[in-house]
Amino acid sequence: MEDGNNNENPYSQVPFGKPMRDAHFLFSEGYTNLNQGSYSTPPRLGQTPESSHDDDEEEEEEEEEEEEGQEEDQEEMSTSFYLVRILSGSERSNDCHHMAEGEPDQFIRYTYPELLRRSRALLAEILHCPVDELVLCPNVTTATNTVLHNLQWEGGDKIIYTSGVYGALEKTIEYIVESTPAESVKVDLDLPRSDDDIVQLFRDTLRREKRGCETKNDHDNGPDPKPHGGGRGRVRIAVFDTIVSMPGLRMPFERLIQACRDEGVLSLVDAAHGIGHIPLNLSELDPDFLVTNCHKWLFVPRSVAAFFVATRNQHLIRTTLPTSHGFSPRDRGDGSDIFDPMPASAETNPMVRQFEYFGTIDGAPYCCIDAALRFRDQVCGGEAAIRDYCTALARQAEQTLVRVLGTQSFGIPESHRVFFAHVRLPIQVGAAKGEVPPSDVPAVTQFMNREFVQTYRTFLYLLFYKGAWWARLSVTVYVDLKDCEFAAQVLRDLSERVRRGEYRHGHPNPK
């Protein structure tokens, strides 16, 4: 993509960018979505190049007759209501949500488990892992909480984690530290930096903390050892990303997993920005735990995550969060069983059986993995086409942002390039005229976030980092260079308004 106008997709009838957006996505008129990396947006699933935005009139008439006018109400329905379309053996579209609402018990008790297993099998094939090492849950936050809350923590046990991990995950770690004897150690990576530096810092931290635990244990095993759990410790688990959310760059996660394996430390990989974004081969990587959101880059409706637990560690996951009917309590000694109202599961793996049902949810998004994969393959032209377009556009977008704002990017190496573009905003923090006092930083951030959606009808992820505001733009198949130029103009205008102090006086419409 040399000049920014080459959006042609040789594998599809619909070019990437605005034509793809208009044909296959559901944005409101006038809204420019530039934040796929946060909350994501799925396409109208179940459509192939032969069945695109303007369906054949005869097919529409047949569908209207068969579904008794349901197509007329689509715009008022929830996302999962009309996006979850499963192609049966006869290629007749069926709406999973309609099935669930039409016959709730039939669907939840008997139909859904079969569809769930099919979705898991499709994802296991993509991720190159055994299907019984993969379960589905709502999101990465749920899965990482599940791991950290299931581990049995003893005094002195340590959680190592890298800077840049998602805020909710860092808060989970802090809660574990507050509520258990565990301790946490943060590896400050000061991103961006080279892969070699990241790996060396990480490995050095693992080894230093292991030595500290060994020294403490030797001391505790002296003439007056402390009781069990009262000071002994291990470096128990290390937590890190595949792609850091901000600055949005690829981590050398393959080498970090290997470092954990070398040092005998469990690895918990946050691959929220993983599947649909970068290749993942879990058989080769062999992490202990990894979770990746399907609703960010794979184009699955919110919210679904694929949660990998290596067979060797499944005994550590005693319960789902929340605990539900699939949990198997230890023998209480009185010969009694707790009543389970669900049908007997066909799953033989105890951990997989737990995740089949752990509370009433809208299971429709879990059943549309097949449709999302068909969209990527048949409409978008496959993974390579998506990756090539998005990576090239992210590079061009960053150049455009830097040129219009007259500032700089993070300077991320091309080897770390993913579907994000970054730019520093032209706003200075200080005491001089036109500068933002340090105490006003939170207010300015909130002001800009609100103005993005209310005035400019878009959104870009902001982070105050190293004394400046940085904006992150997400690139995907429905974004083009004109959208990126629009983002640059929004950021320039909004920065001028901040320098004028508008954030102190509400938010008058600048137009």
Side-chain angles (χ1 to χ4, degrees):
M1 195 174 74
E2 296 177 355
D3 60 3
N5 297 316
N6 184 14
N7 297 354
E8 292 184 5
N9 179 358
Y11 304 96
S12 170
Q13 296 177 355
V14 183
F16 290 133
K18 187 177 187 300
M20 180 68 75
R21 179 166 67 245
D22 291 345
H24 291 290
F25 288 83
L26 298 160
F27 300 114
S28 299
E29 184 69 27
Y31 186 81
T32 306
N33 195 60
L34 300 171
N35 194 32
Q36 178 79 13
S38 286
Y39 296 122
S40 72
T41 299
R44 298 177 177 90
L45 297 181
Q47 295 182 347
T48 64
E50 292 75 25
S51 172
S52 57
H53 181 56
D54 296 320
D55 291 328
D56 184 87
E57 291 183 1
E58 292 182 2
E59 292 179 354
E60 285 186 357
E61 290 176 3
E62 291 177 3
E63 193 168 352
E64 286 174 2
E65 291 175 3
E66 292 176 358
E67 298 184 4
E68 299 178 345
Q70 291 169 358
E71 290 287 329
E72 297 176 1
D73 301 324
Q74 282 188 347
E75 294 302 324
E76 299 177 2
M77 299 175 184
S78 67
T79 298
S80 62
F81 192 81
Y82 61 92
L83 287 184
V84 182
R85 307 184 67 81
I86 309 301
L87 296 178
S88 67
S90 63
E91 298 299 308
R92 181 177 183 271
S93 301
N94 296 297
D95 191 316
C96 222
H97 199 108
H98 284 151
M99 293 164 64
E101 300 308 318
E103 299 182 37
D105 282 278
Q106 168 65 35
F107 179 80
I108 293 172
R109 295 174 185 272
Y110 302 104
T111 305
Y112 173 70
E114 296 178 7
L115 295 174
L116 179 64
R117 183 169 182 82
R118 172 170 170 76
S119 291
R120 289 175 44 239
L122 289 168
L123 289 169
E125 183 177 354
I126 295 170
L127 295 170
H128 306 281
C129 68
V131 68
D132 276 357
E133 292 188 327
L134 198 70
V135 294
L136 302 188
C137 66
N139 47 54
V140 167
T141 300
T142 299
T144 51
N145 268 265
T146 299
V147 173
L148 294 174
H149 282 274
N150 268 281
L151 293 180
Q152 300 297 305
W153 301 99
E154 299 179 357
D157 282 356
K158 293 184 178 179
I159 306 169
I160 310 295
Y161 69 100
T162 53
S163 61
V165 299
Y166 189 52
L169 177 50
E170 186 168 11
K171 288 184 176 181
T172 302
I173 292 170
E174 289 308 304
Y175 176 75
I176 295 295
V177 170
E178 285 185 11
S179 58
T180 76
E183 304 169 14
S184 66
V185 177
K186 186 175 184 177
V187 185
D188 189 359
L189 298 179
D190 192 25
L191 297 170
R193 67 191 311 156
S194 73
D195 283 356
D196 288 344
D197 284 350
I198 291 171
V199 174
Q200 191 62 54
L201 274 169
F202 182 77
R203 192 181 290 272
D204 287 348
T205 302
L206 293 183
R207 290 175 174 173
R208 184 188 69 239
E209 296 302 325
K210 282 181 65 180
R211 286 195 301 270
C213 289
E214 290 165 0
T215 300
K216 179 182 287 189
N217 289 339
D218 289 342
H219 178 269
D220 291 345
N221 287 329
D224 185 23
K226 296 181 181 179
H228 182 67
R232 306 177 190 277
R234 301 159 289 175
V235 177
R236 191 75 189 280
I237 194 167
V239 185
F240 49 89
D241 298 287
T242 52
I243 294 174
V244 178
S245 294
M246 189 69 167
L249 55 81
R250 191 187 193 282
M251 289 279 281
F253 59 91
E254 303 95 334
R255 295 169 64 185
L256 300 184
I257 292 170
Q258 182 62 51
C260 288
R261 191 157 47 243
D262 292 344
E263 301 300 328
V265 175
L266 294 171
S267 55
L268 172 54
V269 186
D270 179 346
H273 302 281
I275 193 169
H277 199 149
I278 56 175
L280 293 172
N281 187 323
L282 300 187
S283 292
E284 292 181 359
L285 290 170
D286 193 27
D288 291 294
F289 308 96
L290 182 145
V291 57
T292 183
N293 281 330
C294 301
H295 56 264
K296 285 188 181 291
W297 302 101
L298 198 66
F299 299 133
V300 174
R302 291 182 296 270
S303 59
V304 183
F307 179 24
F308 170 85
V309 182
T311 300
R312 62 182 177 272
N313 299 315
Q314 291 185 4
H315 68 284
L316 298 174
I317 306 299
R318 283 280 295 138
T319 180
T320 55
L321 292 184
T323 301
S324 191
H325 295 302
F327 177 69
S328 296
R330 294 187 174 93
D331 187 359
R332 296 188 293 182
D334 59 5
S336 64
D337 292 324
I338 300 173
F339 175 67
D340 182 354
M342 303 304 292
S345 173
E347 299 291 348
T348 58
N349 181 297
M351 190 198 74
V352 172
R353 190 163 55 242
Q354 284 207 68
F355 280 87
E356 189 174 68
Y357 180 93
F358 55 109
T360 303
I361 60 170
D362 178 6
Y366 288 62
C367 303
C368 69
I369 303 299
D370 187 12
L373 296 179
R374 287 172 182 259
F375 174 81
R376 297 176 69 81
D377 184 50
Q378 299 176 15
V379 177
C380 297
E383 299 304 308
I386 295 170
R387 194 173 299 118
D388 290 348
Y389 175 79
C390 292
T391 303
L393 181 58
R395 185 184 305 111
Q396 271 204 314
E398 195 161 277
Q399 294 168 353
T400 299
L401 293 169
V402 169
R403 173 176 53 80
V404 172
L405 295 180
T407 57
Q408 66 190 96
S409 69
F410 272 119
I412 294 171
E414 282 303 310
S415 60
H416 292 195
R417 172 75 62 188
V418 287
F419 302 172
F420 294 130
H422 310 87
V423 68
R424 180 176 61 80
L425 301 191
I427 305 171
Q428 301 298 319
V429 176
K433 183 178 180 181
E435 296 182 340
V436 173
S439 59
D440 287 357
V441 166
V444 169
T445 303
Q446 292 300 317
F447 169 78
M448 289 192 287
N449 284 341
R450 183 177 62 246
E451 288 300 287
F452 281 144
V453 295
Q454 293 185 355
T455 299
Y456 302 101
R457 301 194 68 202
T458 189
F459 195 87
L460 291 96
Y461 189 93
L462 292 180
L463 177 69
F464 189 78
Y465 183 62
K466 295 185 177 181
W469 280 276
W470 297 82
R472 185 195 77 188
L473 183 154
S474 297
V475 166
T476 188
V477 297
Y478 57 75
V479 176
D480 57 29
L481 190 57
K482 287 185 179 180
D483 298 321
C484 303
E485 292 168 347
F486 166 74
Q489 296 300 328
V490 168
L491 292 172
R492 184 171 65 178
D493 184 59
L494 193 50
S495 296
E496 291 175 357
R497 294 175 61 198
V498 169
R499 292 196 298 270
R500 291 197 301 264
E502 285 190 26
Y503 67 92
R504 301 190 188 98
H505 313 294
H507 45 96
N509 192 321
K511 297 179 181 178

